[in-house]
Amino acid sequence: MADPVVELVSVRRTFDAGEVLRGVTFTLARGETLVVMGGSGSGKTVLLRLIAGLIRPDAGQIRVFGRSIEGLSEEELLPVRRRMGYVFQGAALFDSLSVYENVAYPLREHATLGEGEIAERVARNLGLVGLGPEVLRLLPAELSGGMKKRVGIARALSIGPELLLFDEPTAGLDPTNAKLVAELVQKLHGGVCDTAIVVTHDIELAKTVADRVAVLIDGRFAAVGPMTEVLETGNAAVQAFLTGEAR
């Protein structure tokens, strides 16, 4: 694979409760959506946080945009982080800020723009996720779960990322909103940001958006490939997860 956007080599991570990742290796090509699946506590979110440089691996190498990040300082990580958008599981909106200020926040932190340009970008990104000017002054408490997810995605798009990291984007949503968010992730892949890692336990989301699926079991990828191949794998643990017995 030429010039992968993300490359992990034998990455390990341990917490007090034990080793979560036990030698994870994979590459993510530009233009690809990789869906990482696994049960609760399998290390899916840990994997995203490692790629974003929010935590460090105990061993192994992590390269993002061709740069090894595991030894970088917070200051050295900033240019790498500015090239990626992170959509947190609970949207992680600032409760005291309006929708407008939540989406504008990364622009104020990482760019030097006039208020007019900030307003244009906020409106554009909210439009990309299907939200209009009527939500600009609302606080997060006034939004539905599905709207919070979409505002979180709009905020992640603010700085024009080359890579999007989604942590359980459909978690906690009813089937209708989950389908809308899945379609939105697919739409973004079609032209807004064409490279993504999506962490989920939602098989329907994976079927909708994945170029490749990786199933994380016991700290390692037990199966990696197109969804059709993963569904047909002979690995008993993978099958138990996919049929719901291990979720």
Side-chain angles (χ1 to χ4, degrees):
M1 184 183 297
D3 300 323
V5 175
V6 177
E7 185 175 10
L8 271 65
V9 180
S10 302
V11 168
R12 308 179 78 93
R13 189 60 162 90
T14 299
F15 294 93
D16 292 341
E19 194 170 30
V20 176
L21 299 180
R22 303 177 181 181
V24 172
T25 296
F26 77 90
T27 55
L28 176 75
R30 190 169 296 278
E32 179 183 27
T33 295
L34 175 71
V35 173
V36 178
M37 305 190 73
S40 298
S42 62
K44 303 186 302 296
T45 296
V46 172
L47 194 63
L48 281 192
R49 290 172 65 82
L50 285 164
I51 293 165
L54 299 174
I55 57 176
R56 307 299 175 95
D58 296 320
Q61 295 180 319
I62 302 172
R63 287 190 284 273
V64 183
F65 305 118
R67 187 173 186 185
S68 294
I69 68 167
E70 64 273 5
L72 298 184
S73 67
E74 284 295 310
E75 185 177 356
E76 291 169 330
L77 276 167
L78 281 176
V80 179
R81 287 184 182 146
R82 288 189 187 112
R83 298 174 68 182
M84 64 177 78
Y86 197 121
V87 181
F88 294 89
Q89 180 173 343
L93 302 178
F94 297 107
D95 292 338
S96 60
L97 297 183
S98 67
V99 167
Y100 179 92
E101 289 300 337
N102 264 286
V103 178
Y105 184 83
L107 296 172
R108 300 194 195 284
E109 287 291 301
H110 301 300
T112 305
L113 301 173
E115 197 57 40
E117 191 170 355
I118 289 175
E120 287 177 10
R121 289 206 191 184
V122 169
R124 180 192 67 196
N125 290 331
L126 286 172
L128 287 171
V129 301
L131 296 173
E134 67 278 0
V135 306
L136 290 174
R137 301 303 166 194
L138 297 180
L139 293 172
E142 300 174 279
L143 304 175
S144 67
M147 290 173 73
K148 286 179 183 178
K149 296 274 188 179
R150 287 188 279 165
V151 172
I153 294 171
R155 184 176 63 185
L157 294 173
S158 288
I159 54 175
E162 299 169 53
L163 167 67
L164 280 171
L165 305 175
F166 293 92
D167 189 1
E168 297 281 7
T170 60
L173 300 182
D174 60 71
T176 299
N177 275 306
K179 184 173 184 291
L180 287 173
V181 170
E183 290 172 350
L184 173 57
V185 174
Q186 186 178 38
K187 171 187 170 186
L188 296 177
H189 177 65
V192 178
C193 182
D194 65 358
T195 309
I197 299 175
V198 181
V199 154
T200 187
H201 64 274
D202 183 342
I203 292 177
E204 292 307 313
L205 172 64
K207 288 178 179 177
T208 300
V209 307
D211 294 309
R212 284 190 302 150
V213 175
V215 182
L216 191 58
I217 295 175
D218 293 331
R220 299 182 180 90
F221 283 148
V224 182
M227 177 58 94
T228 51
E229 292 181 11
V230 171
L231 288 171
E232 295 172 359
T233 182
N235 186 303
V238 173
Q239 286 301 322
F241 169 76
L242 294 175
T243 57
E245 296 173 16
R247 276 186 282 153

